[in-house]
Amino acid sequence: MKTRDMNRDWIATAATLNSALPYLQRYDGAIVVIKLGGHAMGSDEAMESFARDVVLMRQVGVNPVVVHGGGPMINAMLDQLNIQSEFVNGKRVTDKATVEVVEMVLSGLVNKRIVQAINGQGGKAVGLSGKDANLIVCDQADPSLGFVGSPSEMDPAILHNLFAHDVIPVIAPLGAGKNGETFNINGDTAAGAIASALKADRLLLLTDVSGVKNAGGEVVTELKAGQIREMTMDGTIAGGMIPKTETALDALHSGVRAVVILDGRAPNAVLLELFTEHGAGSLIRPD
């Protein structure tokens, strides 16, 4: 016969699960689009933790969609293949040779690594790109940048079919052109377009920073769209945060209920955001 005394850690764990109930009920059946990039893709340990979080979300009734980047892996492969890139105003020109490598790395190496990690935690994940089932049709974003696309038409029917079978879609940010081209899409832009097409309850943009910061350098936990515009105009929001907040505003305008910019380096960041009172990062809502 085994005996065991209850200790404080066990009691705290039970209390945490108990307090999560309203949020589990709140997100039952909800669609949550997660843009994965940065630190969460940088190590096997971080990937395993992220995959476990996503499987838990699906287990409790959330419909997660993972959209990933892969810039460092693309750069490494281009270097390995000795493919030289041109730059226009600091942006890489994606020529035909480059976009072939981009597709190989994103749809192959990176996408299947994430799929395998989720399946390894007991989930059912399927890897796609925006080219599959005409999920994302693109226009050329800027002729000077080559095969860089801007989503123009979306058909999320394939994603709803996957939700109906408890499958977690993992999507590489590539799209099809109207003349059969392959276009590379910025990962945040692709995630925003997918969230908009799905009218998602949440778009979570995982980054390597803790959220949107005010002029004093403090993370602002909740903002309205108008405040984001004001902070951009006065220079408080600058640099790499600008495209993320622009993606957030576009998604909100298209019917996404709320967008969160949060630190993907934090353990269980996605679960903290969805299933706790305090959340994580910066929650952005419509005006």
Side-chain angles (χ1 to χ4, degrees):
M1 178 183 297
K2 290 185 177 180
T3 61
R4 179 176 293 169
D5 294 328
M6 296 293 285
N7 65 35
R8 290 182 181 179
D9 289 341
W10 299 342
I11 294 170
T13 298
T16 299
L17 292 171
N18 182 275
S19 65
L21 177 61
Y23 305 101
L24 296 172
Q25 294 170 327
R26 158 72 180 77
Y27 287 105
D28 186 26
I31 297 172
V32 176
V33 177
I34 307 165
K35 162 58 195 332
L36 176 64
H39 178 80
M41 296 176 63
S43 71
D44 291 340
E45 183 180 359
M47 182 66 75
E48 180 179 339
S49 176
F50 172 79
R52 192 175 183 86
D53 289 352
V54 170
V55 173
L56 191 151
M57 290 169 61
R58 178 55 265 178
Q59 188 68 39
V60 298
V62 179
N63 292 307
V65 179
V66 179
V67 182
H68 63 83
M73 297 79 162
I74 293 169
N75 293 337
M77 184 61 72
L78 289 171
D79 290 342
Q80 186 176 332
L81 296 175
N82 198 28
I83 296 176
Q84 302 299 317
S85 298
E86 296 181 13
F87 291 84
V88 173
N89 296 325
K91 297 181 178 180
R92 185 194 301 275
V93 176
T94 305
D95 58 17
K96 185 171 177 58
T98 300
V99 80
E100 289 177 354
V101 173
V102 168
E103 183 167 24
M104 176 176 65
V105 172
L106 292 181
S107 287
L109 178 67
V110 177
N111 188 274
K112 300 315 171 192
R113 179 185 174 213
I114 300 168
V115 166
Q116 187 174 10
I118 292 172
N119 291 343
Q121 294 299 320
K124 292 193 298 182
V126 168
L128 306 167
S129 80
K131 293 172 66 176
D132 290 300
N134 293 319
L135 174 58
I136 307 177
V137 176
C138 288
D139 292 330
Q140 189 175 39
D142 182 344
S144 69
L145 296 178
F147 293 96
V148 175
S150 175
S152 58
E153 298 176 20
M154 305 292 299
D155 184 357
I158 184 64
L159 303 182
H160 289 291
N161 289 337
L162 294 174
F163 296 154
H165 292 87
D166 296 333
V167 176
I168 300 167
V170 179
I171 304 171
L174 299 160
K178 295 174 183 176
N179 297 313
E181 313 96 322
T182 296
F183 284 109
N184 184 24
I185 310 168
N186 173 273
D188 289 342
T189 300
I194 291 166
S196 297
L198 290 168
K199 304 298 182 191
D201 193 90
R202 287 288 186 274
L203 169 60
L204 307 182
L205 299 175
L206 271 60
T207 71
D208 285 344
V209 296
S210 50
V212 179
K213 297 181 179 180
N214 61 21
E218 300 170 319
V219 174
V220 184
T221 56
E222 189 163 343
L223 305 106
K224 293 291 186 70
Q227 293 173 290
I228 292 290
R229 297 187 190 97
E230 292 173 4
M231 293 170 71
T232 303
M233 290 182 64
D234 67 21
T236 302
I237 293 175
M241 187 56 70
I242 291 177
K244 293 189 183 299
T245 52
E246 287 179 345
T247 293
L249 295 179
D250 289 344
L252 294 174
H253 180 73
S254 299
V256 175
R257 186 166 180 174
V259 181
V260 185
I261 299 174
L262 65 162
D263 191 346
R265 299 169 299 180
N268 311 115
V270 173
L271 300 185
L272 287 170
E273 172 54 38
L274 296 179
F275 301 133
T276 68
E277 182 179 1
H278 50 74
S282 300
L283 176 71
I284 305 169
R285 296 185 183 276
D287 290 323

